Amino acid sequence: MATVEEPVVLELDDIQNGAIHPRPSPYVGAYIVLRIDDPRAGRELLRRLIPAIADATSPMDPSEQAWVSAGLSFQGLEALGVPQDSLNSFPLPFQQGMAARAAELGDVDDSAPENWEKPFGTPDVHVGLSALSPDTARLEPVLARARTAFEELSGVTALWSLDCHVLPTEREAFGFRDGISHPAIEGSGIPGTNPREKPLKAGEFLLGYENERHELSPMPRPEVLGKNGTYVAFRKLHQRVAAFRQYLKANSSTPEEEDFLAAKMMGRWQSGAPLALCPMRDDPELGADPKLNNDFLYKDDDPQGLKTPAGSHIRRLNPRDSDISGFVRFHRMIRRGTSYGPMLAPGVIEDDGAERGLAFVFVGANLERQFEFVQSEWVNKGQFFHGPVGDRDPIAGANSGSDHFTIPQQPIRRRLQGLPAFVVTRGGEYFFVPGLRALHWLADLET
């Protein structure tokens, strides 16, 4: 007799809203990095921040929301005076930090930590704050509450900030509609964007709940610190838009072929319409429809990648039901990108020197099994896709100018040569995003 699983009940009032909710669209936002110079000041910072942090019982519609989220790096927890036993209970990748994992992540050459914007890659990154809202009018009050928490507080220093915004077209710097895919999380009440994907176990994203392996992910001690927390990999990614356009032009004979080649590399047309549903020509109306633009799978309809190449960006980041080595649901995570900087004017193929790109946030309960695995194995290697060994992600991979990208087609596949790096890491760090009770526990530490 089959057993019926009990419905999962999440403690939404203890989970930071920004940890599991998709970002608004359209949106404006800001990221701030702080250093804690005195443990007492750090704990006072948390006490001031807590009233500004919304929990996950907030309205489910992101268009109605404006929120602040707070995370701490391993060095930040040390600076707060967290007991050593608790510090030792955090997973090794988090303890080491993103810069120490650069080789595994493909952060080499121009993306290497020695080239990152300071303070990234140094021990001074302690607290990461993010604020997101549908518009400036709603952002400013929540951002003001966050700033009040650290301004004029001696012992805490603001080191870095970044303003983000969506363009009127809702596209990122390369010209593609962004923010389309978001997984459904069991028990959260937040629907996923792919109706064909079964909700993932809450433990894939939140500590203290069963994950896809029917077990609890390792949780820092004590329980009050770990329960309802999650991990975030934050990355500032500069996009070399002029180089991307130059490459498309050099490998195409018409503007239409440039658009087609870009779609093959991304897996979607710039409108957001997926190749899986319209492989030969763009369909902007479909691309703009949130009920349709993520409603597809690969295995039965496109096993050979004739529509969506197996090595394309979106198929690597989320292979869905593709036949690959490994179980896709073990490596799913929340991916949330926000654009910064001005757009390069249409048609311009020379770099104007401006900083533009994405501030990317990856959310999951297991940094190594989710973010690091996807980045090292799916983005920067090819064998997991049963395709040509050596191909990297053509959009976000650590390409060096001698790499290639394979486009399956009949009767003979096409292979693009000489792929450079179109995305450069400007900095990043791993943060632990505690639950609300954990923030109170941290604020009440006595050392």
Side-chain angles (χ1 to χ4, degrees):
M1 183 172 170
T3 59
V4 178
E5 291 188 11
E6 290 292 325
V8 174
V9 178
L10 303 185
E11 298 175 331
L12 296 175
D13 61 347
D14 189 41
I15 298 166
Q16 289 196 44
N17 184 63
I20 60 172
H21 277 75
R23 61 158 171 73
S25 184
Y27 64 84
V28 291
Y31 298 90
I32 302 170
V33 169
L34 308 172
R35 183 185 67 220
I36 298 170
D37 300 310
D38 176 79
R40 290 182 295 275
R43 296 193 286 271
E44 176 60 24
L45 168 71
L46 295 186
R47 283 190 283 271
R48 295 184 183 188
L49 276 175
I50 289 169
I53 297 173
D55 63 46
T57 61
S58 299
M60 291 300 176
D61 183 356
S63 67
E64 300 178 12
Q65 298 175 349
W67 68 75
V68 173
S69 302
L72 295 120
S73 70
F74 185 74
Q75 288 83 5
L77 293 169
E78 284 185 312
L80 276 178
V82 170
Q84 193 61 47
D85 179 64
S86 291
L87 293 173
N88 292 344
S89 65
F90 281 91
L92 183 61
F94 176 71
Q95 292 188 38
Q96 292 181 332
M98 186 178 288
R101 316 283 288 184
E104 293 92 332
L105 300 176
D107 288 332
V108 297
D109 301 326
D110 290 345
S111 292
E114 55 264 30
N115 299 320
W116 288 1
E117 293 178 9
K118 296 298 182 276
F120 295 111
T122 77
D124 290 339
V125 178
H126 292 169
V127 180
L129 302 180
S130 67
L132 285 170
S133 171
D135 51 53
T136 302
R138 280 177 277 190
L139 177 71
E140 286 306 318
V142 297
L143 195 54
R145 289 198 295 272
R147 287 197 178 109
T148 300
F150 64 83
E151 289 178 344
E152 300 180 4
L153 178 61
S154 60
V156 174
T157 305
L159 300 179
W160 180 90
S161 64
L162 181 69
D163 293 327
C164 295
H165 59 276
V166 71
L167 299 158
T169 58
E170 297 188 38
R171 301 190 183 193
E172 48 74 65
F174 287 142
F176 294 91
R177 180 181 290 272
D178 194 28
I180 291 175
S181 181
H182 192 277
I185 304 170
E186 192 176 63
S188 70
I190 305 169
T193 55
N194 185 352
R196 305 189 193 200
E197 181 181 53
K198 178 183 175 183
L200 283 100
K201 295 288 187 182
E204 290 298 309
F205 308 100
L206 296 164
L207 298 175
Y209 301 91
E210 186 178 278
N211 60 27
E212 289 290 325
R213 298 186 178 197
H214 302 286
E215 62 188 21
L216 299 179
S217 294
M219 193 166 69
R221 299 186 297 269
E223 182 175 334
V224 67
L225 174 61
K227 183 70 181 291
N228 294 317
T230 190
Y231 295 99
V232 158
F234 173 80
R235 289 164 78 77
K236 182 184 180 185
L237 302 175
H238 170 65
Q239 293 174 258
R240 290 174 165 167
V241 179
F244 184 61
R245 293 178 181 177
Q246 290 169 14
Y247 188 84
L248 295 176
K249 183 174 287 292
N251 288 275
S252 305
S253 56
T254 65
E256 291 75 20
E257 188 181 2
E258 290 178 40
D259 292 342
F260 183 71
L261 185 57
K264 285 292 186 178
M265 295 168 73
M266 178 62 73
R268 292 184 184 272
W269 298 92
Q270 290 194 335
S271 71
L275 289 174
L277 299 180
C278 42
M280 299 310 297
R281 60 186 59 84
D282 195 2
D283 184 344
E285 186 175 338
L286 187 154
D289 189 337
K291 294 182 179 179
L292 296 177
N293 62 16
N294 206 40
D295 184 5
F296 61 92
L297 298 173
Y298 297 121
K299 184 176 180 178
D300 293 333
D301 189 50
D302 190 24
Q304 295 178 309
L306 294 173
K307 294 180 180 179
T308 310
S312 63
H313 178 69
I314 70 163
R315 193 157 176 170
R316 284 175 175 271
L317 270 291
N318 181 12
R320 302 180 188 232
D321 64 338
S322 299
D323 281 328
I324 63 169
S325 299
F327 185 42
V328 172
R329 291 174 69 86
F330 288 167
H331 309 294
R332 290 285 276 128
M333 56 189 168
I334 294 171
R335 295 176 285 126
R336 192 180 299 143
T338 47
S339 294
Y340 70 86
M343 286 285 278
L344 186 64
V348 174
I349 62 171
E350 297 301 324
D351 187 18
D352 62 358
E355 271 292 319
R356 56 176 61 87
L358 288 170
F360 230 111
V361 171
F362 302 83
V363 182
N366 190 308
L367 286 168
E368 191 169 21
R369 176 164 61 82
Q370 293 169 301
F371 171 69
E372 291 195 341
F373 178 91
V374 170
Q375 187 70 21
S376 63
E377 302 298 332
W378 288 356
V379 171
N380 285 316
K381 294 181 184 177
Q383 54 264 47
F384 271 78
F385 295 88
H386 306 299
V389 175
D391 278 15
R392 295 188 174 98
D393 186 320
I395 300 291
N399 297 302
S400 63
S402 60
D403 292 276
H404 34 74
F405 171 60
T406 303
I407 302 176
Q409 58 185 26
Q410 293 175 337
I412 302 172
R413 71 184 184 184
R414 182 179 180 185
R415 200 166 206 197
L416 300 176
Q417 304 288 347
L419 273 170
F422 297 122
V423 174
V424 178
T425 305
R426 292 289 198 234
E429 188 53 276
Y430 292 150
F431 292 98
F432 176 61
V433 179
L436 276 297
R437 286 194 294 270
L439 285 172
H440 282 286
W441 183 84
L442 291 165
D444 294 339
L445 285 171
E446 294 183 5
T447 56

